[in-house]
Amino acid sequence: SSEKSAKEAAAKAAKAEAERYAAIKTPTFDKDILPIIKQRCIECHGAKKQKAKLRLDSFAELMKGADGEKIFVASKPGESEIIKRIGLPDSDDDRMPPKGDRLSKPVADLIRRWISQGGKQK
């Protein structure tokens, strides 16, 4: 059936995504994190709109944080607000992104790995 093949295709795509992100051993902001931000975060945290006074469209803006509060602590994902927000349950109003699908586990793991390794720009 076409529904079964669509599910198989989705599963295959998810597996390919997981493998692609898992293969990035030393992620950097410019190369690996910014494309995700552009895809999922810029609508609310870009040049045109800054919810919570937070811009994420460049490393310099990310480093400024939200309203002067840092959103990530290099080498400490457990103390990083961005990790807390993307891990919140769908029912939580503070979950990021608030609309649409949550970030996939491979994407969330990549962001966590980037922070764990010091949150380097390049």
Side-chain angles (χ1 to χ4, degrees), residues 2 11 18 22 25 28 47-49 67 69 71 86 97 101 109:
S2 64
K25 297 301 177 206
T28 64
K48 292 182 180 147
K49 184 177 182 183
D67 211 7
E69 297 286 321
I71 64 160
I86 63 178
D101 292 336
D109 289 348

Side-chain angles (χ1 to χ4, degrees), residues 48-79:
K48 292 182 180 147
K49 184 177 182 183
Q50 298 92 40
K51 282 196 162 184
K53 297 183 183 165
L54 175 64
R55 269 182 80 173
L56 298 174
D57 54 330
S58 74
F59 190 75
E61 292 294 341
L62 172 89
M63 295 307 287
K64 289 179 186 175
D67 211 7
E69 297 286 321
K70 289 200 176 298
I71 64 160
F72 90 95
V73 181
S75 305
K76 296 181 179 178
E79 294 177 26

